[in-house]
Amino acid sequence: METLSSLRTSQALMSRPSSPTIFCTSGSVSFTGFSLKTQSFSKRKQTLRFVKASVAVEQQTQEAKVALIRIGTRGSPLALAQAHETRDKLMASHSELAVEGAIQIVIIKTTGDKILSQPLADIGGKGLFTKEIDEALINGDIDIAVHSMKDVPTYLPEKTILPCNLPREDVRDAFISLSAASLADLPSGSIIGTASLRRKSQILHRYPSLSVEENFRGNVQTRLRKLNEGVVKATLLALAGLKRLNMTENVSSVLPIDDMLPAVAQGAIGIACRSNNNKMANYLASLNHEETRLAVACERAFLETLDGSCRTPIAGYARKDKNGDCIFKGLVASPDGTRVLETSRKGPYAFVDMIAMGKDAGKELLSQAGPGFFDR
């Protein structure tokens, strides 16, 4: 197996100074890939493909200063892909935004991006990937903020609203390994890399003979590199992110919902603006996908009721069934996976009903868990 020399992310992303942490571009992001030969579980050559972001980070020019919309985002390839998806949808929906320079992308480095050596729970938990972006929004440095909804705390900062969710991607988790086709195929004692307690608890509940490396952090490219270097035998990543990066060829298998319930709001993109900015709110309303917004609201009501944090293994998924009703499934687990509590709800696919379902499901599991459940 060849060794990856390095992930050659462009200088514009990797050599950013620590201060200031805001960078602007009115250009586009392009993803280019290269392959790495590996030995696969099926005795045929398999490749793990990585991408690097080539981003033109420009000086603040006079043209950029008059941008009609400044989009705030993290600087990872996936975050940039989501920001550019937002930009492209805005341009397609509003002719005045299709003019060159009308939309500017502002890259903001967050606490979660800066500190990679510690588990998320140990450095603050909630809001690690949104705090600085929210501050830039409130301060008027950007006009809208693009977030992965599963990173957004259940509360929003004052003076901000989140009126828009783009159409949701596939919510399932992908299994990626160089030596196995699925979790069940891994030998006893194999180490799985994941920074998610949700994934860890569900893995250990079904496969207690496996081990989990908890601080397996970094962007998609970093995690694939670590996997290739043999740090772990396998990892799980959100299929939605791999699809948005056009990297699904790396997937060994996709885990069914019944085997791995997704994180609350997994696969959903949320776009926030200031509460007093009606112009931006109207722009975002034109992009909103209501089915996704309601599903995310249901799941977040469940999470809020449980007062979930990065130290709490929680999963939740709301969807519309063939009859147009909402089906919700929720789960809480002990961190070691020895206990998993699940529940489900069904009701009208309407905001008030779905919020009620999420809260009721959360109260049920909170009651079942009892004191000390999450301390295991």
Side-chain angles (χ1 to χ4, degrees), residues 34-291:
F34 56 93
S35 295
L36 180 68
K37 294 180 181 178
T38 61
Q39 185 175 357
S40 81
F41 55 83
S42 59
K43 297 183 180 180
R44 57 182 173 78
K45 290 185 177 179
Q46 178 187 0
T47 60
L48 280 183
R49 190 168 68 86
F50 303 82
V51 295
K52 60 180 181 178
S54 177
V55 182
V57 180
E58 302 171 351
Q59 294 295 323
Q60 186 84 358
T61 63
Q62 184 63 34
E63 180 183 33
K65 289 180 181 178
V66 297
L68 298 178
I69 297 181
R70 296 162 298 168
I71 300 176
T73 177
R74 296 167 60 199
S76 71
L78 177 55
L80 287 169
Q82 295 178 163
H84 281 78
E85 180 180 343
T86 301
R87 182 204 63 179
D88 293 346
K89 288 182 181 295
L90 285 168
M91 292 174 66
S93 301
H94 303 277
S95 58
E96 71 273 22
L97 300 180
V99 178
E100 185 176 357
I103 300 179
Q104 182 182 35
I105 290 179
V106 181
I107 299 171
I108 301 169
K109 197 164 188 178
T110 69
T111 301
D113 298 311
K114 295 173 184 176
I115 305 175
L116 297 176
S117 59
Q118 298 171 260
L120 293 174
D122 293 345
I123 56 175
K126 293 181 179 179
L128 286 172
F129 295 109
T130 60
K131 181 176 180 289
E132 286 83 358
I133 299 175
D134 289 334
E135 289 173 350
L137 180 62
I138 294 168
N139 294 336
D141 297 320
I142 58 175
D143 301 302
I144 64 175
V146 178
H147 298 301
S148 292
M149 279 303 301
K150 69 177 181 178
D151 293 335
V152 178
T154 52
Y155 55 86
L156 297 178
E158 291 186 15
K159 302 180 181 180
T160 71
I161 56 174
L162 206 160
C164 175
N165 289 122
L166 298 185
R168 195 173 199 173
E169 250 295 355
D170 197 316
V171 303
R172 295 173 295 172
D173 283 315
F175 174 80
I176 304 176
S177 175
L178 307 181
S179 58
S182 67
L183 285 166
D185 291 337
L186 289 169
S188 177
S190 295
I191 300 175
I192 316 299
T194 177
S196 164
L197 282 183
R198 170 190 65 86
R199 290 178 177 132
K200 174 189 173 182
S201 62
Q202 292 185 76
I203 289 171
L204 294 180
H205 181 69
R206 288 182 174 274
Y207 304 99
S209 67
L210 300 178
S211 298
V212 175
E213 166 56 52
E214 293 184 33
N215 195 33
F216 196 72
R217 293 189 54 212
N219 60 32
V220 172
Q221 293 74 18
T222 298
R223 297 185 199 198
L224 292 181
R225 187 194 70 225
K226 289 179 180 179
L227 174 61
N228 181 76
E229 292 172 349
V231 176
V232 295
K233 288 294 184 182
T235 188
L236 301 185
L237 295 173
L239 184 59
L242 295 170
K243 284 189 172 185
R244 289 183 174 123
L245 289 170
N246 192 29
M247 296 174 65
T248 55
E249 65 187 55
N250 294 311
V251 176
S252 303
S253 60
V254 177
L255 281 67
I257 295 294
D258 290 341
D259 290 350
M260 181 64 64
L261 199 63
V264 164
Q266 184 156 307
I269 296 172
I271 313 174
C273 66
R274 290 183 294 279
S275 55
N276 63 354
N277 194 331
N278 292 331
K279 184 176 182 180
M280 293 301 135
N282 289 333
Y283 277 137
L284 297 185
S286 69
L287 303 187
N288 181 56
H289 187 252
E290 189 65 0
E291 182 177 328

